[in-house]
Amino acid sequence: MKFYELSPERRRDQLVQEGWLTTQDAALLAGTHSLPEVTGARLIENAIGEFPLPLGVARNLLVNGQLHQVPIADEEPSVIAAASNGARLATANGGVRTHVAAHRVVAEVVLTNLTDLVQARQTILAHQTDIQKVIAVAHPSMIQRGGGLDQLTVESLGAQFLKIRLTLDPQQAMGANYANTVAEAVAAAVKSWVDGDVLVSILTNAPTELVTAEVSLEPASLATKAVSGDVIAKKIVQLSELAFVDAERAVTHNKGILNGIIGAVLATGNDTRAVAASIGAFACASGRYQPLSRWYMDQGHLVGHLQLPLPMGAVGGAIGALPMAQVVRRLGGYQNLAIMQQVIAALGLVQNLAAMRALAGPGIQAGHMKLQANALAIAAGATETELSMLVNALRQGSMDLKHAQQYLTTIRLNKKVGQSKDENRD
């Protein structure tokens, strides 16, 4: 049998036999699962186990007057701490106001080798009613739910290509499979109306609808023990302005926004690659890479404004197949797709706020390295009873894995010495 035809257990056995896995590796893979093995095996090709990430929650984020607990799947120690801190600041100042445009997905059918692009375009436009019928037949259940074709355009791209752009309403689904199904059906029909060849028929991950989030803060609420709120607010504005003229700063600025967003999207069972690709394209829409948020002073308040695309769904695919995604939806208060998108955009804004405040105040490493000590202690092999001692040693000494291992060795030696003394006293 071919590898993809084997069960996960037999795939693990084969990888052990070939020397790619140890028996201990295989046992860990076999024992690490929250999904029924058949579910994992059906969701992806060549499944051999699961790769769990910690699931945390950013607490008490107020969005459009409603309080949300925002689940985030992530591996970086400081992400959720920063998100919760940003949420605390925003909520104390009245929360985040958000808005999302109507959810749409775009498919494109591109033709080439046409004798006459102008004539072909006119022919296709004359068949708009037929195209609507093709779309209805290709996915009738979407039409029954109120979705379907929203807009059709046909444009020439250079002297070689003719592009049919289909804007579709996928209702609560992300819409990728729907868009691909529709695109292929339309492509098959178009071939009977014009000469030339279909080069591609597929969805596009280019930005469509945008989500906006905005927060207004009293500068005094931003103060730290060492820096006044007015100074921090001023520096946040300057950092924002810097990101608009320094592309390298803009990339890191946006990474800070995505810290929470990507983990929150992942937790819902949505496609993080589609979100990242769409956001990257949007950041470059002006022809130059730009920050996704802007911070400025308005009537004595620090205002943060974020706008970005979030191509997501609330139903379908892994969203419905993963039990944890359903838990996340309930915990986040995501009653529908629009709320999910708006809460996650608000999360990105408060994550940005926390990062900017840290940069303007004590610096990014002060809080980050405190949390990083836990990850280093675990990586060094500390047990539950050794963790707190090793974390304290790391905070007082050097923060790297080599020193973590040395400190752990010392902790264990001291423990043995202590035990020996106790035994001698007995």
Side-chain angles (χ1 to χ4, degrees), residues 250-261 347-348 350-352 355:
V251 171
T252 309
H253 178 103
N254 288 346
K255 189 270 182 184
I257 293 170
L258 293 179
N259 270 343
I261 285 177
L347 173 69
V350 300
Q351 191 95 55
N352 186 215

Side-chain angles (χ1 to χ4, degrees), residues 57-98:
V57 59
R59 293 280 284 156
N60 300 328
L61 176 57
L62 189 64
V63 183
N64 295 335
Q66 296 294 317
L67 210 58
H68 291 269
Q69 313 302 317
V70 190
I72 302 171
D74 201 85
E75 86 297 340
E76 186 176 330
S78 60
V79 165
I80 295 175
S84 293
N85 190 29
R88 176 186 62 81
L89 290 168
T91 298
N93 282 273
V96 183
R97 299 172 300 282
T98 61

Side-chain angles (χ1 to χ4, degrees), residues 27-52:
L28 181 62
L29 287 167
T32 306
H33 57 82
S34 58
L35 289 174
E37 196 159 57
V38 66
T39 302
R42 296 292 184 184
L43 279 177
I44 64 169
E45 185 97 343
N46 292 348
I48 60 171
E50 294 178 39
F51 187 87

Side-chain angles (χ1 to χ4, degrees), residues 273-395:
R273 288 88 55 203
V275 169
S278 181
I279 289 175
F282 179 70
C284 294
S286 66
R288 188 175 186 277
Y289 191 88
Q290 297 281 274
L292 300 165
S293 69
R294 181 187 293 274
W295 294 87
Y296 57 93
M297 296 302 298
D298 182 29
Q299 298 182 3
H301 288 75
L302 176 66
V303 178
H305 181 87
L306 170 73
Q307 188 173 53
L308 77 174
L310 285 174
M312 301 173 64
V315 298
I319 301 162
L322 296 170
M324 285 301 294
Q326 302 307 308
V327 173
V328 163
R329 182 170 177 174
R330 289 189 290 273
L331 177 58
Y334 304 151
Q335 290 94 344
N336 56 49
L337 176 58
I339 291 175
M340 183 188 294
Q341 290 172 308
Q342 290 175 92
V343 171
I344 291 177
L347 173 69
L349 183 59
V350 300
Q351 191 95 55
N352 186 215
L353 169 62
M356 300 278 269
R357 179 173 179 256
L359 287 171
I364 207 74
Q365 285 296 82
H368 179 79
M369 293 311 290
K370 287 181 182 179
L371 292 163
Q372 188 65 23
N374 289 299
L376 280 172
I378 293 168
T383 65
E384 188 70 28
T385 57
E386 296 166 339
L387 271 173
S388 60
M389 289 184 288
L390 182 52
V391 166
N392 287 333
L394 285 164
R395 290 180 180 177

Side-chain angles (χ1 to χ4, degrees), residues 371-425:
L371 292 163
Q372 188 65 23
N374 289 299
L376 280 172
I378 293 168
T383 65
E384 188 70 28
T385 57
E386 296 166 339
L387 271 173
S388 60
M389 289 184 288
L390 182 52
V391 166
N392 287 333
L394 285 164
R395 290 180 180 177
Q396 295 170 17
S398 298
M399 192 80 74
D400 58 61
L401 183 58
K402 179 181 177 181
H403 282 90
Q405 292 168 335
Q406 291 174 355
Y407 299 151
L408 182 58
T409 299
T410 301
I411 288 168
R412 289 173 175 173
L413 285 173
N414 290 339
K415 185 178 179 181
K416 285 183 179 180
V417 170
Q419 289 174 341
S420 296
K421 288 181 179 179
D422 290 341
E423 290 171 0
N424 290 333
R425 281 196 293 267

Side-chain angles (χ1 to χ4, degrees), residues 10-11 70 97 111 118 141 146 152 165 176 183 186 256 298 380 386:
R10 291 184 63 188
R11 292 185 194 123
V70 190
R97 299 172 300 282
L111 307 172
V118 173
S141 63
L152 180 150
R165 187 177 189 273
V186 170
D298 182 29
E386 296 166 339

